[in-house]
Amino acid sequence: MTAAVERADFDRYMVPVFSPLDMIFVRGEGSRLWDQQGRDYIDFGAGVAVTSLGHSHPILLKALSEQAGKLWHVSNYYTNEPALKLARKLCELTFAERVFYCNSGAEANEAALKLARKRAVDKYGPEKIEIVSFNGSFHGRTFFTVSVGGQAKYSSGMGPNPAGIVHIDLHDEAALRRVVGPQTCAIIVEPVVGESGVLPVKPEFLKLMRELATKHDAALIFDEVQSGNGRTGALYAYMNTGVVPDILTTAKGIGGGFPVGIMMTTAAMADKHFTPGVHGSTFGGNPLACAVSLAVLDLISSPEVLEGVKRKAKHAAQRLRAMGEQFGCFAEVRESGLWLGCELTPTFAGRAGEFMKAAAANGLLHIVAGPNVVRIATSLVISDAELDEGLDRMEKTCRQLSA
Ligand SMILES: *Cc1c(COP(=O)(O)O)cnc(C)c1O
C-alpha cells in the first residue's frame, strides 16, 4: 500500500504557485465535502465555479462511467459521438454555429484571440491586430491570455509580452470610443467580471462595444468561462444583456469538474479562417469530457435548474445583506445568480483571506475575489437545507470576526 500523504507533502513536492489551506478533501457529495479527518464542510466555492452540479451527481457519474466503459480518446484525426452531440446542442441553445473544443478557459480564450487576429489579418492585412481589453479582467494564464488580461501582476517579469493589446477602464465610454478603430481586431470582456469581484458590466456599455465592433468589423468576444453555464440564472450571461457576441468562450462549470474548454462562434467568423492546421488541441473534444459536459448541459439548461438558481440566489443575497448589516462586515452584496460578491467594509478592508480561513475552520468553504471581496459560488442545485446551513456557518464567521 502507498504510504499516507499529508499537507506538508505539498511543500515537499509541489511547485509553490499555490498555498492551499491545511485540510485535504477525500470525498464529496452534493454540496458537502469531507476531509481526511472526517470533518464535513459546506461547499460555497464549487472549486471556483466548476462543480456546477455539486459533487458525485448521479447523472454525471452515470455519464462518465458509461463513456469510460466505451471509449476514452481517439484524437482529432477522427471525430466522436459525444463531441458531435454536445456541439449540436450548444448550437441549438445559443447564438453559436461552430464549436471548438479544448481543455481549459485559458485555451478557449487563446483560441478566440487567435481566431480574431487570423480573421482580421486574412480580411484586412497585417495592421488589423489590436485587441481591446479591460483593466482588472482575467482571461487565463497562458502568456497571450495574461497579456490580454488586465492584471499586470500576472503578466510582468517574464520578458516581452505580445504586442498590439490595449487596456482601458470598464465603463469608460470615451476611452472605448477612442481606442476602437480600423486597427482593432477584437474587444474581449467578461460580461460579469469574476476575479475582480463579481461585477456585472452595464448592458449599455456592452451595447456600445457591440456597436463599435460591428462598425470596425472587429470580433466581440465574451469570456463566459465563469459567468456561463447557468451561473447567473441564464444559460449564458449574454442572454440577459440584449447583446450577442461573435465569439463566446467557456470552461469551468460546463464540465462539472471534468476539464473542458469550449469556444463558440459563427460560421462567418470561423469557416474561412480557422481551416485545417491553423489551430488544434490533442485532447480537445475528448469523448469523456464531452459526454460529461453533455449531461451537465442537459441539466443546467432546464428551466427548473435556472429558476432554482434565481430563487436560491435571492435568498442567499438577502441573508448575506442582513449579516453584513448586523456585523458591519459587508458594504455591498452583489448578486449575479448563485455567484455573489460580498464587498468588505473599510473596517475589514484587505481581510477576505482571513474570512476564508475562519470560515473553513467553521466548516464552510467560500472563495475570494481579491483582498476585499468574499466570493461565493455554490452548486447550481444546492439544496435549500445545505444553502442555509452554509449561510449559518457564514454568519458564525462574521460574528467571530466582528467580535
Ligand atoms: C477561470 C477563468 C479563466 C481561466 O480558465 P482556466 O480553466 O483556469 O484556464 C478565464 N477567464 C475567466 C473569466 C475565468 O474566470
Side-chain angles (χ1 to χ4, degrees):
M1 220 185 92
T2 323
V5 286
E6 55 183 20
R7 171 62 180 79
D9 288 320
F10 186 93
D11 302 328
R12 243 168 245 140
Y13 300 118
M14 304 285 281
V15 170
V17 289
F18 302 110
S19 56
L21 298 190
D22 289 337
M23 70 291 254
I24 296 181
F25 298 114
V26 293
R27 192 165 69 83
E29 200 181 310
S31 285
R32 208 176 287 269
L33 285 162
W34 285 269
D35 69 12
Q36 288 176 321
Q37 281 69 40
R39 276 189 296 256
D40 82 293
Y41 299 79
I42 298 287
D43 186 3
F44 270 17
V48 192
V50 167
T51 47
S52 46
L53 295 167
H55 302 276
S56 310
H57 193 292
I59 295 176
L60 303 195
L61 277 177
K62 184 164 174 280
L64 180 62
S65 52
E66 277 185 12
Q67 188 58 43
K70 285 189 204 161
L71 184 68
W72 287 24
H73 179 83
V74 291
S75 91
N76 285 300
Y77 283 105
Y78 321 97
T79 187
N80 65 78
E81 289 184 356
L84 295 174
K85 286 179 187 167
L86 178 61
R88 182 173 63 199
K89 179 129 187 151
L90 286 166
C91 290
E92 284 166 3
L93 291 172
T94 71
F95 77 99
E97 299 162 329
R98 298 288 186 266
V99 168
F100 172 80
Y101 294 121
C102 47
N103 315 288
S104 67
E107 281 174 76
N109 285 324
E110 188 83 20
L113 295 164
K114 283 175 71 177
L115 172 59
R117 282 237 173 124
K118 180 70 166 51
R119 169 185 173 272
V121 169
D122 284 349
K123 277 183 87 173
Y124 301 97
E127 305 298 310
K128 195 173 173 69
I129 56 152
E130 210 165 87
I131 295 160
V132 174
S133 172
F134 295 93
N135 293 321
S137 64
F138 182 73
H139 298 299
R141 297 293 201 133
T142 65
F143 204 45
F144 198 4
T145 55
V146 286
S147 303
V148 169
Q151 301 185 56
K153 64 175 190 247
Y154 295 145
S155 64
S156 59
M158 300 177 202
N161 294 91
I165 302 163
V166 288
H167 294 98
I168 59 170
D169 282 340
L170 211 56
H171 298 135
D172 186 343
E173 294 201 359
L176 188 64
R177 286 181 200 278
R178 191 174 64 243
V179 298
V180 180
Q183 77 290 356
T184 308
C185 72
I187 307 174
I188 182 166
V189 68
E190 301 161 74
V192 181
V193 184
E195 299 301 311
S196 286
V198 193
L199 297 155
V201 180
K202 294 196 173 90
E204 312 85 75
F205 194 64
L206 295 173
K207 284 193 182 92
L208 183 61
M209 282 181 216
R210 178 67 280 174
E211 222 176 276
L212 293 169
T214 303
K215 181 173 168 197
H216 295 288
D217 199 14
L220 180 59
I221 305 171
F222 278 6
D223 177 347
E224 293 227 33
V225 170
Q226 195 163 162
S227 65
N229 314 307
R231 180 56 52 199
T232 66
L235 182 57
Y236 289 96
Y238 85 86
M239 294 171 174
N240 271 345
T241 65
V243 177
V244 179
D246 301 300
I247 304 177
L248 185 152
T249 56
T250 199
K252 290 199 169 99
I254 188 67
F258 203 97
V260 62
I262 304 178
M263 178 188 74
M264 300 179 230
T265 188
T266 61
M269 288 294 307
D271 286 2
K272 292 206 193 85
H273 311 291
F274 256 23
T275 47
V278 174
H279 191 56
S281 164
T282 294
F283 292 119
N286 173 281
L288 292 168
C290 291
V292 175
S293 298
L294 183 62
V296 171
L297 186 59
D298 268 335
L299 282 165
I300 61 174
S301 61
S302 75
E304 302 77 63
V305 169
L306 294 172
E307 284 311 311
V309 169
K310 289 182 222 162
R311 181 179 60 76
K312 285 176 265 190
K314 275 207 192 80
H315 175 69
Q318 199 175 18
R319 281 201 60 186
L320 289 163
R321 284 181 189 128
M323 283 172 219
E325 269 179 38
Q326 187 181 349
F327 302 108
C329 50
F330 305 143
E332 184 189 26
V333 174
R334 289 184 289 272
E335 178 243 305
S336 285
L338 281 173
W339 193 23
L340 300 119
C342 310
E343 183 91 38
L344 298 176
T345 52
T347 322
F348 291 92
R351 291 169 63 186
E354 203 182 313
F355 268 81
M356 189 170 151
K357 282 196 184 125
N362 288 327
L364 174 69
L365 306 169
H366 69 71
I367 48 181
V368 302
N372 293 318
V373 177
V374 165
R375 177 170 38 151
I376 290 172
T378 69
S379 150
L380 306 184
V381 295
I382 187 170
S383 70
D384 290 335
E386 282 169 331
L387 183 61
D388 271 318
E389 200 176 344
L391 289 164
D392 290 344
R393 295 179 186 189
M394 189 77 230
E395 196 173 312
K396 184 177 170 192
T397 307
C398 293
R399 178 174 290 119
Q400 280 170 353
L401 290 181
S402 68

